[in-house]
Every structure is written in structure tokens, then in C-alpha cells.
């Protein structure tokens, strides 16, 4: 699906400066005084308006409470009184609920939210009289899936026909490609629209609102306290994603993986983009099917991708053109879309960052005299893992003259790579008793020991005494159990942070055509 973005430009203020998409903070509290204190917090956090969730209030007295909430709110207001049948907390009678929303409208609310299922009754209830100041949002929430483009289009038409000032649809992402249909609807909407896709796979629908012309996005005051699944914090919107700087021409980049939320890449690239005024944003992409992802987000707006576990090999098959080194490794970790024809170019920057950091570690510990050659030459180099990163490191070590051994849970996979690079294969269970010599190099490229399973390690501590240097591609946590054990055994250690920074330099340059701000990258990661 090609995403059309040119039309958004007509709806949005051109040029740099702040985009018109608003940030709304949902306020959920049981007492009015708590609501009032959350309002102050929302203002300090940088929200543009607050959603007052009346259905969360206990002992709610509409006549007195609504007036207090409106008069004392330092920001524009949106009143929502969500019933249980639409995912809210209210389970009383409809007359009282609609009466409270009418009262909010008459007392000076800036927006009220009425469900599509209730709007007909609400219109009858208020006899069509609405204060000009108050905008009526008519909403529909789907907690099961994201309907087809046709069904979404029909839903929006029904909401518009109900007399909505602003259309709101919230669907659920079963796959990240569901978001594309909602972007399509947002771009083509003739009226102000709030369009969200809930859940972790729908995150980009919330961040990229300004690109596709959404009226507002919801963001929470603190992590974990969400009014719907997948909401980012205001802090992340403003300071991680540079939300105010996004617009119709912003290029989208991101990291494709499963899991992916642990990655430090968005912080790194977005800080770098902002520091040089580059009009791009870097996202988390939780991807299940990488082929489907590239097929769906095929426009040149989606300009570049980092690729992590478990997609590096399948992503290669999606490329129109592949760098010869990546072809030999049969895995890519960086894909760039050519702006001229939208073709995908894939390369592998993993092994450069990793091998360089391992060489630097060895030079530091060996006071190596082979200044011209690699300190890896002639060394026995044991790689744990036979995925894309394992293959990349095996290839890189072989290039530097090391003797390579691949250890993997399934021996057949290890054998395949060993045959390609001309090395030896082991099953992971054999690794503890494998020590033909001292002073070996160990490189873990699996996710064993990554957060949250920080107590796991791929090899016994006893076996580590035969290694001169141990490298772990994981960088969350920075010192894994494997590295901690290796240190105690007297080995030199190299953290995945070094590999991460090294490969990020090259990716940044490929994405932007600009030199990587190396100092900034080191500071960000530190």
C-alpha cells in the first residue's frame, strides 16, 4: 500500500515550526481534587489539552464537580464519560450519563466525547442545541482488530453523518501493517480526525499523527498509567520523538524486531536528527512478518530501517539490491529506500562494529606488536549463535584471519554456517567441554541473558577461563551475566554497546548522507 502524504500538506501549516496536532493527556482519578492536581501536572508536562475521564470519578456530583473542573483547569478540556460497553468504567443509566455531558457542554467544556452508539440519543436529548464553543467528538472503539479499508471508510462516513465536529476512531493492531489503513483514512479525511491504533504494534499511529494530519494524539503523564493500550508518555512524545517538529515531509526510519522495545536506537537517532535539523523520526517497529511489512510500507516516506533479531535473514529476501558482504553473510541489518525509485538496498554493518571493538579490546590487552595486521589473526574465535549476527561475526573474524568455530542450539544450523566460512561446528551443549587451547575469543550473538532474563548465560563460568576475551552482542543490560562471569575469570570483556555504536555510525550516514555525530552517539548511549 502506497501511503499518500501530499494531501496532508494542504491541511497543515507549511514550513518549519510547530505542527498543529495537539497532545491530549487523559486524566484518570477517583476524586476531583486529584483531577485538579493532574491538570497542573499535564500543563507542566507540555500537554495542549486534558481529557477528563468522568467515568473514573467516585461519588461524582455533576452539578458541582463539572463546574469546578472547568473553572480550575489551566488547559482546554475534553470531557469523556465512557460506559463499560465501550471500554470505560461507567455502568449507570444513560440519561444521567448524557445529562452530565450536556452539562459539561453548557458550562464551557471545549470538547465532549460521545460514542457513535449513543450519538443519536444524545442529539435527541439536547434537541440539537450546542454551544458554538464546544466541539463534539463522536467516537468508535474496536478492541478486537482493525477493519478493512472499506469498513473503516464506511465507519468514518457514519460518524460524519451523525453531526460530529471531530471524528474519532480507535482500533486494535493485530499486526503493524494494520496501521497503514488508519493512516490512509486520516490523510483522506475531510473533517478533523483522531485516528489511533491501540497496542504496541500500533505505536506509530500515535507518534506520526502530525505527518498524516491527525487532530490530536493521546499521551500519558506517566509510564504505565494509560487510558488505552499502547499510549506513549508525553515525555517520550516530546523528547524522544521530537513530536513538535514532525510534519508532512518528515521521513520515517525505525528499528524492525521482535522484541524491539528494549532498543536504544530511537533515542540515539532522534537526538542526532534534532541536533542537525534533519527532518526525520526514528520509531520502534514491532514486526511479525517482515515481508508483509515492506510490502505495506513501500512509499519513499518510509526511508530507512535497522533490522534486529529475528528478521535479519528474511529482510535480505525483501531487498531489491544487496551489498556483496551482506550477500556472503546472507543477512542484512540496515535497509535504505532509494528516494528516486523506492527500491530497497540492504547491507550489513553488524560485523564492522563488532569486529573493530573486539580488535580494539585485544590490542588494549595484548599490547599487540602486529600493528599492521589484525590481532585476531590465527586466534580461535568461537561464535555462539547461527542467526544473522552470528553469521556476520563468523564472516568478519574469518576475514581477519581467525579460525572460526560456530556453536548453536541446533547443530545443523551451526554446520551450515561453518561450511560457508570454512570453520568448525558445535552444538551449544558441547561448548562447556570445548577447550582445545587457552587464549580463545568468545562472541555471544544470541539473546541469552538479555532483559528481562538477565540471569541466563550460554556457557558455564568454569569454561570461561580458557578465553582471553569475551564479547556479548547484548547491550541491555550493559554487563550481562556472561560478561560478569568472564570478568571474574580474568578475561577481557567487550560489551554490545561498542558494537551498537560502531554499526550505528554507518547506518546514520547511510540514512542521512551526513557524517555521524560520534561524540553525541557516545554521550547518548552513556
Amino acid at each position: 500500500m502506497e501511503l499518500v502524504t501530499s494531501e496532508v500538506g494542504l491541511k497543515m501549516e507549511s514550513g518549519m515550526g510547530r505542527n498543529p496536532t495537539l497532545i491530549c493527556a487523559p486524566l484518570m482519578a477517583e476524586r476531583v481534587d486529584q483531577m485538579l492536581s493532574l491538570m497542573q501536572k499535564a500543563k507542566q508536562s507540555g500537554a495542549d489539552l486534558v481529557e477528563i475521564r468522568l467515568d473514573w470519578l467516585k461519588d461524582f456530583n455533576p452539578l458541582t464537580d463539572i463546574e469546578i473542573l472547568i473553572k480550575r483547569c489551566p488547559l482546554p478540556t475534553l470531557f469523556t464519560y465512557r460506559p463499560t460497553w465501550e471500554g470505560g468504567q461507567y455502568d449507570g443509566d444513560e440519561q444521567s450519563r448524557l445529562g452530565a455531558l450536556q452539562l459539561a457542554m453548557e458550562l464551557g467544556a471545549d470538547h465532549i466525547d460521545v460514542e457513535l452508539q449513543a450519538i443519536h440519543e444524545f442529539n435527541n436529548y439536547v434537541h440539537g442545541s450546542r454551544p458554538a464553543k464546544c466541539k463534539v467528538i463522536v467516537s468508535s472503539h474496536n478492541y478486537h482488530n482493525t477493519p478493512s479499508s472499506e469498513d473503516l471508510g464506511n465507519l468514518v462516513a457514519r460518524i460524519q453523518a451523525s453531526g460530529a465536529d471531530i471524528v474519532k476512531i480507535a482500533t486494535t493492531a493485530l499486526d503493524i501493517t494494520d496501521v497503514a489503513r488508519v493512516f490512509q483514512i486520516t490523510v483522506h479525511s475531510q473533517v478533523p480526525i483522531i485516528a489511533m491504533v491501540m497496542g504496541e504494534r500500533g505505536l506509530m499511529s500515535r507518534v506520526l499523527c502530525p505527518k498524516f494530519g491527525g487532530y490530536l494524539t493521546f499521551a500519558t503523564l506517566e509510564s504505565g498509567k494509560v487510558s488505552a493500550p499502547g499510549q506513549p508518555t508525553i515525555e517520550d512524545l516530546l523528547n524522544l520523538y521530537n513530536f513538535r517538529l514532525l510534519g508532512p515531509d518528515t521521513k520515517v526510519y525505525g528499528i524492525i524486531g521482535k522484541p524491539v522495545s528494549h532498543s536504544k536506537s530511537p533515542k540515539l537517532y532522534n537526538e542526532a536528527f534534532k541536533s542537525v535539523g534533519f527532518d526525520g523520526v526514528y520509531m520502534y517497529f514491532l514486526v511479525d512478518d517482515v515481508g508483509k511489512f515492506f510490502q505495506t510500507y513501500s512509499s519513499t516516506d518510509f526511508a530507512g530501517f535497522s533490522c534486529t533479531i529475528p528478521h535479519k535473514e528474511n529482510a535480505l529476501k525483501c531487498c531489491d539490491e544487496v551489498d556483496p558482504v551482506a550477500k556472503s553473510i546472507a543477512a542484512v541489518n540496515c535497509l535504505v529506500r532509494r528516494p528516486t525509485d523506492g527500491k530497497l538496498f540492504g547491507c550489513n554493518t553488524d560485523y564492522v562494529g563488532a569486529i573493530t571493538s573486539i580488535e580494539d579490546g585485544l590490542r588494549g590487552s595484548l599490547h599487540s606488536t602486529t600493528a599492521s595486521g589484525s590481532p585476531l589473526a590465527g586466534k580461535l574465535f568461537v561464535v555462539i549463535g547461527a542467526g544473522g549476527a552470528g553469521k556476520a561475526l563468523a564472516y568478519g573474524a574469518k576475514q581477519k584471519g581467525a579460525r572460526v568455530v560456530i556453536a548453536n542450539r541446533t547443530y545443523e544450523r551451526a554446520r551450515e554456517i561453518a561450511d560457508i566460512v570454512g570453520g568448525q561446528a558445535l552444538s551449544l551443549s558441547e561448548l562447556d567441554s570445548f577447550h582445545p587451547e587457552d587464549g580463545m575469543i568468545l562472541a555471544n550473538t544470541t539473546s541469552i541473558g538479555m532483559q528481562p532474563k538477565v540471569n541466563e548465560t550460554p556457557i558455564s563460568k568454569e569454561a570461561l577461563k580458557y578465553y582471553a576475551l569475551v564479547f556479548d552482542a547484548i547491550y541491555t543490560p550493559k554487563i550481562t551475566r556472561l560478561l560478569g562471569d568472564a570478568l571474574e575469570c580474568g578475561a577481557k570483556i567487550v560489551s554490545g554497546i561498542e558494537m551498537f555504536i560502531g554499526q550505528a555510525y554507518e547506518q546514520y550516514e547511510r540514512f542521512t548522507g551526513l557524517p555521524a555525530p560520534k561524540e553525541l552517539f557516545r554521550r547518548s548511549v552513556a
Side-chain angles (χ1 to χ4, degrees), residues 66-95:
I66 290 176
E67 188 163 14
I68 291 168
L69 289 165
I70 291 175
K71 279 199 169 138
R72 293 185 49 192
C73 188
L75 290 168
T77 54
L78 155 55
F79 280 84
T80 300
Y81 203 179
R82 192 76 72 219
T84 48
W85 49 259
E86 188 91 353
Q89 307 280 317
Y90 178 78
D91 60 0
D93 72 288
E94 275 295 88
Q95 291 295 92

Side-chain angles (χ1 to χ4, degrees), residues 5 31 38 74 95 109 123 132 192 236 261 278 280 284 305 319 331-332 338 340 360 371 386-387 390 396 487 501:
T5 55
R31 299 197 319 267
L38 289 176
Q95 291 295 92
N123 286 337
D236 277 355
S261 61
F278 179 80
Y284 292 104
F305 312 91
C319 296
V332 294
R338 274 208 301 258
T340 47
D360 291 347
L487 259 183
I501 291 175

Side-chain angles (χ1 to χ4, degrees), residues 176 178 243 352:
I176 194 168
D178 295 344
F243 184 83
V352 183

Side-chain angles (χ1 to χ4, degrees), residues 121-378:
E121 196 180 338
F122 180 76
N123 286 337
N124 290 341
Y125 191 88
V126 301
H127 310 298
S129 72
R130 294 183 187 174
K133 181 197 172 193
C134 186
K135 299 264 185 280
V136 176
I137 297 169
V138 177
S139 61
S140 165
H141 299 77
N142 180 332
Y143 292 97
H144 306 293
N145 60 16
T146 297
S148 67
S149 297
E150 189 183 349
D151 288 349
L152 284 173
N154 292 338
L155 174 64
V156 168
R158 271 170 54 217
I159 294 175
Q160 253 180 280
S162 75
D165 296 308
I166 299 165
V167 168
K168 179 187 174 191
I169 56 168
T171 67
T172 298
L174 302 181
D175 190 275
I176 194 168
T177 55
D178 295 344
V179 180
R181 301 196 290 283
V182 170
F183 283 155
Q184 198 84 32
I185 292 291
T186 309
V187 164
H188 289 103
S189 179
Q190 301 304 307
V191 295
I193 185 166
I194 302 163
M196 299 292 138
V197 189
M198 298 181 280
E200 193 184 343
R201 288 166 178 79
L203 174 68
M204 84 170 133
S205 71
R206 299 176 179 281
V207 176
L208 297 180
C209 285
K211 178 169 179 61
F212 295 102
Y215 180 75
L216 64 73
T217 192
F218 293 93
T220 68
L221 291 172
E222 54 183 288
S223 188
K225 291 202 171 171
V226 298
S227 63
Q231 278 171 3
T233 61
I234 296 175
E235 160 77 18
D236 277 355
L237 267 194
L238 294 175
N239 300 326
L240 173 58
Y241 297 114
N242 305 322
F243 184 83
R244 301 288 190 205
L245 303 176
L246 309 184
D249 299 326
T250 301
K251 294 289 184 197
V252 182
Y253 300 85
I255 178 154
I256 295 169
K258 187 183 178 183
V260 77
S261 61
H262 63 278
S263 173
K264 289 186 167 64
S265 296
K267 181 179 187 314
L268 200 71
Y269 289 100
N270 287 324
E271 272 185 22
F273 290 167
K274 187 179 180 179
S275 74
V276 296
F278 179 80
D279 192 4
V281 63
Y282 189 103
M283 298 287 317
Y284 292 104
F285 296 129
L286 177 59
V287 172
D288 299 284
D289 179 335
V290 79
K292 190 174 167 189
F293 175 83
F294 284 122
Q295 216 177 332
T296 303
Y297 299 103
S298 59
S299 94
T300 53
D301 280 349
F302 288 81
F305 312 91
S306 310
C307 191
T308 187
I309 295 170
H311 297 310
K312 295 181 185 194
E313 288 156 304
N314 282 332
L316 179 125
K317 299 170 192 160
C318 304
C319 296
D320 300 295
E321 199 182 309
V322 179
D323 170 84
V325 174
K327 205 171 268 180
S328 316
I329 297 168
V332 294
N333 74 318
C334 176
L335 300 98
V336 182
R337 200 180 289 291
R338 274 208 301 258
T340 47
D341 56 10
K343 295 256 194 276
L344 268 185
F345 169 78
C347 60
N348 196 306
T349 66
D350 268 343
Y351 78 105
V352 183
I355 294 294
T356 306
S357 57
I358 291 168
E359 285 180 321
D360 291 347
L362 282 173
R363 286 195 181 103
S365 64
L366 299 174
H367 307 295
S368 171
T369 51
T370 57
S372 55
S374 168
L376 285 172

